[in-house]
Amino acid sequence: MEMRLALALLLVAAAASQLPSAAEAANYTVGDDKGWNPDVDYTAWVKKHKPFYKGDWLIFQYQNGRSDVVQVGEVGYENCDKASALSSYSKGTTYAFQLKEAKDYYFICSYGYCYSGMKLHVTAKSSSSGSSSSSSSGGSSSDSSSDSSDDSSSDTPPPSSKKSKPKSSAAPPSLLAGTPYAAIATGAALLLNRML
């Protein structure tokens, strides 16, 4: 009986170790409390808050009519040129941008402030090991899944909080449903119940 129990527990542990981890996306307020404004060192902000991961959000807070958020490629970033903009946003006072892919993202302000450093470059990694940073601004950004038209926002609704949240590595039970591991976990649970 003890041998069966040990085997069942081993099977459950093995199945659980194969489950994908679900990381919670972090939210970063670009520029922290200074927001998306001139005279902010966004390169230092990125260094302070990196690494960034796929699924994280960048929250741009700015003054309507004074600045905008333009997603560009690396050349547009280096030259402060919005001619080949991937997306542009200037409505309201807040813009939430999700890092939907693991890659470099670049943002500039096209109101002339880019030349004095109002630009951001962030690199999103594919996954995290459970670490996260607090809200921040600046850094690097490049391509994203946002629309390429002016004043477009991402398809995903903005996050509810402007502060970064720690990422969790525990998979919620709802993630088990419909996965190949659901059958293993169910079988292990049934075997364990029979043994007890």
Side-chain angles (χ1 to χ4, degrees):
M1 181 72 158
E2 285 182 33
M3 182 63 124
R4 283 185 166 181
L5 179 58
L7 182 59
L9 291 174
L10 182 61
L11 182 59
V12 169
S17 72
Q18 297 300 313
L19 292 174
S21 64
E24 185 178 326
N27 304 328
Y28 297 92
T29 299
V30 175
D32 293 325
D33 59 345
K34 295 178 183 176
W36 182 240
N37 286 297
D39 303 319
V40 176
D41 186 348
Y42 294 106
T43 301
W45 179 85
V46 168
K47 288 179 183 177
K48 176 182 175 185
H49 295 289
K50 69 181 183 180
F52 299 92
Y53 295 98
K54 176 182 171 183
D56 287 349
W57 288 88
L58 299 177
I59 312 298
F60 293 86
Q61 295 179 330
Y62 56 91
Q63 295 179 22
N64 192 337
R66 183 173 179 205
S67 59
D68 61 356
V69 180
V70 181
Q71 182 189 1
V72 295
E74 185 176 5
V75 173
Y77 172 82
E78 294 296 333
N79 298 323
C80 292
D81 183 8
K82 70 173 186 172
S84 298
L86 302 171
S87 68
S88 178
Y89 195 81
S90 61
K91 293 181 181 176
T93 59
T94 303
Y95 175 59
F97 183 89
Q98 187 174 30
L99 305 174
K100 293 184 178 180
E101 297 179 42
K103 63 182 181 178
D104 288 323
Y105 291 86
Y106 302 88
F107 298 91
I108 65 170
C109 173
S110 71
Y111 285 35
Y113 298 115
C114 177
Y115 297 106
S116 61
M118 195 170 167
K119 57 185 184 175
L120 175 71
H121 168 225
V122 298
T123 300
K125 296 183 177 186
S126 60
S127 65
S128 71
S129 59
S131 66
S132 169
S133 307
S134 60
S135 308
S136 57
S137 70
S140 45
S141 280
S142 170
D143 303 318
S144 156
S145 301
S146 286
D147 298 334
S148 296
S149 61
D150 280 351
D151 296 323
S152 66
S153 60
S154 60
D155 299 319
T156 310
S160 59
S161 167
K162 292 182 177 99
K163 298 284 184 186
S164 299
K165 296 184 270 184
K167 296 185 181 188
S168 168
S169 61
S174 61
L175 289 180
L176 294 178
T179 67
Y181 304 109
I184 295 171
T186 302
L190 289 173
L191 179 61
L192 185 59
N193 281 338
R194 286 184 187 171
M195 293 169 54
L196 298 176

